[in-house]
Amino acid sequence: MQLVWVICWLLTLLFIGFRHEVGTDWPNYMAIWDAQGDSFISALLHSELFYYILMYLVKEMGLTIHWLNLLTSFIAITPIFYYSYHQKNKWLALTSLVTVLFIITYMGYARQAPAIGLTVWAMFKFLDEKFISSFLILIAASLFHNSATLLIFIFAGFILMQARPRYKLFVLALSSILLISQGDYLISRLLKLFDLRLISLGALPRIALVDIVLIAAIIFRKKLFMSRFQRDFILYYSCCGLVASGLVFVNGVIADRVILYWLVIQIIVYGNISTITNNNNTRVFVLMSVVALNLCTLLVWLVFGTFSSDWIPYMNFLFI
């Protein structure tokens, strides 16, 4: 089983990482690749500097953008495969993320992909009450994509609600530093996105599917977690996700990007469906529903998606 899992991880890594001319943002990232200078200092001048440092290193080695995508894909998928493997229903946890995360998101958003992977890692560290390492991982995620900064404030908010005085000082200092150093930039970028008035036709149904999982996590949290801390955090984090879902009525594109950070809850809920219910028929129904939803979502997106044609035909660097 472990060998099969590793092979699945490797094939997914090559499928996403070595994609060629796939995704709406491919021309944009090629433009960034061509425009980025050969100076390490220039890479450090970007707010999402981890992505640009990787780009600099790949270019210094004389490699193509495909190798940069492979590195970011490694960071994006490895935490998901690792933590899914440690769930009771590992294949269901993984299957639930195939269409929306692996195909649509990871093959389109090269900078946000590693940020999402790192936030999955940070989430499970936080649930284990390893707060310092969790926040350090979130900082790394925000240096791939600024949107991950939101989770730093969300996690910090929960710590401030807890009776943990030694961590309160840490998160207050961290939050203050982030507000001072990134506040103006983040606000200006957010206002720019709102001003663009971009439309995401599939945002509402995709977010609705995530919301169903968040509600399930709230209802069944006592079955999913033994620790009071874990149950309280899942309640808090899921409620934050439901609130964030409301952005879909303001700007679908922003809501679509933000809600991606709550897909990690699917690993917990679908990955432990056998804990939620002892009824075998219910488990089979959930399994078939998740598979069917993934196939339907993929089909509807391919047929009706505004930019889905940018994923077709699929090409891979290994075969060009």
Side-chain angles (χ1 to χ4, degrees):
M1 178 63 73
Q2 194 172 27
L3 178 60
V4 173
W5 193 261
V6 172
I7 292 172
C8 183
W9 167 83
L10 180 60
L11 292 176
T12 305
L13 176 63
L14 296 175
F15 180 77
I16 298 173
F18 273 160
R19 65 190 181 277
H20 177 71
E21 296 183 358
V22 173
T24 303
D25 284 345
W26 181 271
N28 296 334
Y29 281 106
M30 284 303 304
I32 293 172
W33 173 270
D34 293 334
Q36 178 62 27
D38 297 327
S39 167
F40 182 71
I41 300 300
S42 66
L44 295 177
L45 297 177
H46 295 273
S47 61
E48 296 163 336
L49 63 91
F50 277 12
Y51 179 80
Y52 287 91
I53 288 174
L54 283 181
M55 182 188 297
Y56 166 79
L57 294 173
V58 170
K59 292 184 79 169
E60 277 294 294
M61 290 186 284
L63 301 174
T64 63
I65 194 173
H66 308 88
W67 292 94
L68 173 61
N69 289 338
L70 189 73
L71 288 173
T72 55
S73 298
F74 174 85
I75 300 169
I77 72 167
T78 301
I80 291 173
F81 270 83
Y82 176 81
Y83 287 108
S84 294
Y85 183 78
H86 289 85
Q87 308 305 307
K88 293 181 179 179
N89 307 99
K90 55 178 69 67
W91 289 108
L92 186 58
L94 193 65
T95 302
S96 70
L97 298 170
V98 169
T99 298
V100 173
L101 194 62
F102 287 174
I103 295 178
I104 299 176
T105 303
Y106 279 6
M107 294 175 68
Y109 307 146
R111 284 177 296 174
Q112 193 174 8
I116 294 171
L118 289 171
T119 56
V120 170
W121 186 14
M123 163 73 82
F124 282 97
K125 285 287 186 183
F126 198 87
L127 288 171
D128 289 336
E129 300 188 42
K130 297 177 180 177
F131 304 124
I132 302 298
S133 57
S134 177
F135 279 106
L136 291 175
I137 295 166
L138 285 177
I139 291 170
S142 69
L143 293 175
F144 274 106
H145 199 272
N146 294 139
S147 61
T149 307
L150 172 66
L151 269 68
I152 296 176
F153 292 112
I154 290 176
F155 281 39
F158 184 75
I159 289 290
L160 294 175
M161 291 165 57
Q162 302 292 302
R164 297 170 185 269
R166 62 173 177 163
Y167 291 111
K168 286 183 179 181
L169 181 61
F170 169 76
V171 298
L172 279 172
L174 178 61
S175 301
S176 299
I177 292 170
L178 286 171
L179 281 173
I180 293 170
S181 62
Q182 297 286 332
D184 289 344
Y185 174 77
L186 292 173
I187 291 171
S188 64
R189 185 163 180 174
L190 188 63
L191 290 174
K192 182 180 179 181
L193 283 172
F194 273 108
D195 190 54
L196 286 174
R197 304 186 187 280
L198 298 172
I199 298 173
S200 179
L201 297 177
L204 186 57
R206 283 198 294 271
I207 290 173
L209 291 176
V210 177
D211 285 349
I212 291 171
V213 177
L214 296 180
I215 293 170
I218 293 172
I219 295 172
F220 298 110
R221 65 187 185 281
K222 291 184 179 179
K223 290 187 176 182
L224 292 169
F225 299 103
M226 298 295 291
S227 161
R228 172 67 182 273
F229 169 83
Q230 293 175 335
R231 293 196 297 266
D232 288 348
F233 178 69
I234 287 300
L235 172 62
Y236 167 81
Y237 191 68
S238 298
C239 287
C240 288
L242 293 173
V243 172
S245 300
L247 284 170
V248 73
F249 300 108
V250 180
N251 188 301
V253 173
I254 293 178
D256 227 1
R257 286 292 189 102
V258 168
I259 206 65
L260 293 171
Y261 293 111
W262 275 266
L263 287 174
V264 60
I265 301 296
Q266 293 188 187
I267 297 176
I268 297 170
V269 173
Y270 290 129
N272 294 280
I273 195 68
S274 58
T275 302
I276 295 175
T277 176
N278 294 321
N279 189 304
N280 191 56
N281 291 331
T282 303
R283 296 178 193 173
V284 172
F285 172 76
V286 172
L287 173 62
M288 299 301 293
S289 298
V290 169
V291 173
L293 278 172
N294 268 274
L295 291 175
C296 288
T297 302
L298 182 61
L299 180 62
V300 170
W301 172 71
L302 287 173
V303 175
F304 299 106
T306 308
F307 302 106
S308 59
S309 58
D310 294 324
W311 273 254
I312 302 172
Y314 172 80
M315 293 187 289
N316 193 283
F317 178 61
L318 294 174
F319 304 105
I320 59 172

